[in-house]
Amino acid sequence: MTPRVTIVGGGLAGSEAAWQAAERGADVRLYEMRPHRGTPAHRTDYLAELVCSTSFKGKSPTTAHGLLKEEMRRLGSVLLPIADETAVPAGEALAVDVERFAARVTEVLSSHPHITVVREEVTDFFMLSGASAVVIATGPLTSEALSARLAALTGDENLYFYDAIAPTLDADSLDRSILFAQSRYDKGDGVYLNCPLNREEYEAFREALLAAELAPMKAFEPINLFEGCLPIEELAARGELTMAYGPMKPVGLTDPRTGEQPFAVAQLRQENQEGSRFGLVGFQTRLKYPEQKRVFSMLPGLSSAEFVRYGQMHRNTYLDSPRLLEPSLRVKLERWPPDSPFALFIAGQLCGVEGYMESAAAGIVAGAHAARHAMMLKDAVPPADTMIGALLQYVAGTAHETAYPGGRFQPMNSNFGLLPPVEGKKRKKADRILAKVERARESLTRFLVEEWSVGGEE
């Protein structure tokens, strides 16, 4: 019999999971609740729609995010080749035209002979039938009904944090006589637009941020913020120069009007291939819409800016995965009914990774293991000295000397601190990183040959 796998959630993780299972010969049903039910952040009905940023972060293989992408490509990612097709200029980062990227992913998955896309909301695992394995990849915006069902697995409420989206501006409304195009240190293609601020302008902007009115949130729960993606007004509140050392750092930039480095800058990144939309980089916000218009228009070059989309904040759900998951992202047997007709896997941000590519990488692993389970094959978890393997060990609570920030499991993105130390003394940080990269490559090569593919060959 042809193995059957069900994927719930058509985001980045769900798309990768569906592709991996289908490429291994499984018949896949991919459930996506949009357009029948929307979310606070999505705007289209496409699969793999990006909601917070257009960037997949760095491309260099000597960075953590670059190494992660390299590993994903070698594992057969469906999303990264499409990202290359739909890329927009973004310096050393890989960024995409959001609509073209999502439309192309939808086209590729929908045309796969082993994938059936079902536009229907899943509110309970047990409404699914006929599959040997089910992957839940509904993301941080999981519906309340399914979120409650997932909470029952852990015997506790789901964990959560609040995340924010930055505004998008119409390119024709930007004052190009003030803005200048340059990447920091002239790295990459220099297509970031920069709003240069002197000290007085910076201080006035910060004061306006601190005094601006915030959009209300749920009154009955604390607003847990994710440290890796803080709202710009929160950064302003943390210190006089926090923004200037963060998203507004001017290092490596020269204002052509003065020939000098500005005191601070606000950067804008192209969001579509036509160059008609630009997003404010690092300006996630919870400000009310009129306040965004008033405060962000204070930035030099944005006095007449028209907002294509305002920033907003939304609640992101994730699970207490160390109590729940194996490194393969399968729900532990003690947490899942032993007489269940299918094995259950959790992928994407729901399992506690943070970031677009981290979520997609988790989808690759979960989809491959769902197919392997359906085919009665043993697990094939990437080694812990690879970036993907290290993330899986962190999520499952089996990482080397695992220490969760504040003693509480929190979402994690790729970083070299997750990888085990390298042998031998290497004084320079760059040498230690290079050694970790080379070891990860060699380790993944052995894994691909010996364990990953169904046929036993890379």
Side-chain angles (χ1 to χ4, degrees):
M1 294 179 61
T2 302
R4 295 182 62 183
V5 171
T6 295
I7 315 291
V8 183
L12 298 178
S15 296
E16 288 282 19
W19 184 261
Q20 287 289 326
E23 286 290 280
R24 284 166 168 73
D27 280 343
V28 176
R29 291 176 69 83
L30 173 59
Y31 284 83
E32 169 54 50
M33 68 179 184
R34 292 175 293 124
H36 301 298
R37 178 162 183 173
T39 77
H42 288 88
R43 293 183 292 175
T44 76
D45 301 336
Y46 292 135
L47 303 175
E49 180 189 344
L50 309 183
V51 297
C52 288
S53 169
T54 64
S55 175
F56 291 148
K57 298 187 178 178
K59 296 181 287 190
S60 171
T62 56
T63 65
H65 290 100
L67 178 60
L68 177 67
K69 292 182 187 66
E70 179 182 319
E71 293 178 359
M72 290 172 61
R73 291 182 191 276
R74 297 181 68 187
L75 293 174
S77 167
V78 65
L79 297 182
L80 282 169
I82 296 174
D84 295 335
E85 291 177 24
T86 58
V88 297
E92 291 194 306
L94 174 61
V96 299
D97 181 311
V98 172
E99 290 191 13
R100 280 190 169 90
F101 173 77
R104 180 67 176 136
V105 172
T106 304
E107 177 187 3
V108 169
L109 266 62
S110 299
S111 61
H112 196 292
H114 292 296
I115 298 176
T116 301
V117 179
V118 183
R119 298 288 184 165
E120 180 181 338
E121 181 183 5
V122 173
T123 58
D124 194 336
F125 313 134
F126 295 105
M127 68 180 282
L128 306 168
S129 62
S132 300
V134 172
V135 179
I136 305 297
T138 46
L141 298 174
T142 298
S143 66
E144 290 186 7
L146 187 57
S147 182
R149 190 68 188 85
L150 285 166
L153 285 177
T154 62
D156 199 356
E157 290 186 4
N158 293 328
L159 305 176
Y160 70 92
F161 64 93
Y162 276 94
D163 197 3
I165 299 171
T168 297
L169 308 177
D170 185 285
D172 290 338
S173 67
L174 307 177
D175 188 345
R176 302 300 179 101
S177 67
I178 297 176
L179 304 178
F180 65 94
Q182 187 183 15
S183 297
R184 292 185 176 98
Y185 299 112
D186 287 323
K187 291 183 177 181
D189 39 28
V191 294
Y192 286 89
L193 297 181
N194 298 276
C195 309
L197 292 84
N198 59 35
R199 177 139 202 164
E200 292 74 21
E201 290 168 331
Y202 174 84
E203 291 176 349
F205 176 69
R206 178 172 177 265
E207 289 300 319
L209 273 178
L210 295 175
E213 192 173 358
L214 302 177
M217 306 300 293
K218 292 182 178 179
F220 57 83
E221 66 182 14
I223 300 177
N224 298 326
L225 297 174
F226 179 58
E227 290 293 321
C229 191
L230 292 172
I232 191 68
E233 59 271 13
E234 173 67 18
L235 293 176
R238 291 192 176 191
E240 181 182 355
L241 297 178
T242 303
M243 294 188 298
Y245 285 104
M248 298 185 73
K249 60 181 179 289
V251 293
L253 298 171
T254 302
D255 186 346
R257 297 179 304 165
T258 65
E260 298 179 353
Q261 177 177 293
F263 181 80
V265 299
Q267 286 198 314
L268 297 104
R269 180 174 54 226
Q270 185 175 327
E271 291 197 346
N272 60 357
Q273 291 182 326
E274 295 87 356
S276 63
R277 297 196 302 267
F278 279 77
L280 274 165
V281 181
F283 274 61
Q284 300 82 224
T285 184
R286 184 190 156 194
L287 298 187
K288 286 187 173 182
Y289 290 175
E291 294 288 78
Q292 291 182 44
K293 175 68 174 176
R294 179 181 66 83
V295 176
F296 294 148
S297 293
M298 294 174 62
L299 294 168
L302 305 189
S303 60
S304 300
E306 296 179 8
F307 287 70
V308 176
R309 180 177 72 169
Y310 286 99
Q312 60 179 291
M313 183 171 280
H314 52 86
R315 189 183 193 275
N316 286 353
T317 297
Y318 66 101
L319 302 178
D320 193 0
S321 294
R323 297 170 53 197
L324 184 66
L325 301 180
E326 303 285 354
S328 66
L329 301 181
R330 180 179 177 175
V331 174
K332 294 176 180 179
L333 294 179
E334 61 265 31
R335 293 283 182 179
W336 185 241
D339 57 348
S340 173
F342 55 83
L344 185 64
F345 296 81
I346 308 294
Q349 283 191 265
L350 201 57
C351 76
V353 294
E354 200 287 319
Y356 285 150
M357 289 293 93
E358 289 83 350
S359 298
I364 290 174
V365 172
H369 279 97
R372 295 181 77 91
H373 174 82
M375 302 165 101
M376 294 183 288
L377 298 172
K378 66 182 181 70
D379 289 349
V381 179
D385 55 5
T386 64
M387 189 58 70
I388 292 178
L391 281 167
L392 294 172
Q393 299 300 324
Y394 175 88
V395 164
T398 55
H400 65 287
E401 300 178 358
T402 299
Y404 298 123
R408 180 173 180 266
F409 177 63
Q410 297 179 25
M412 180 63 67
N413 54 23
S414 54
N415 65 87
F416 285 115
L418 290 173
L419 300 180
V422 292
E423 296 181 0
K425 294 184 178 180
K426 298 184 184 296
R427 294 184 178 180
K428 294 182 178 180
K429 180 180 178 181
D431 292 338
R432 294 194 298 272
I433 288 176
L434 183 59
K436 288 184 175 183
V437 169
E438 292 174 346
R439 181 185 61 187
R441 287 171 172 166
E442 293 172 1
S443 186
L444 188 64
T445 295
R446 290 191 298 270
F447 171 74
L448 289 169
V449 172
E450 298 171 5
E451 300 184 53
W452 179 245
S453 66
V454 174
E457 297 180 355
E458 184 179 353

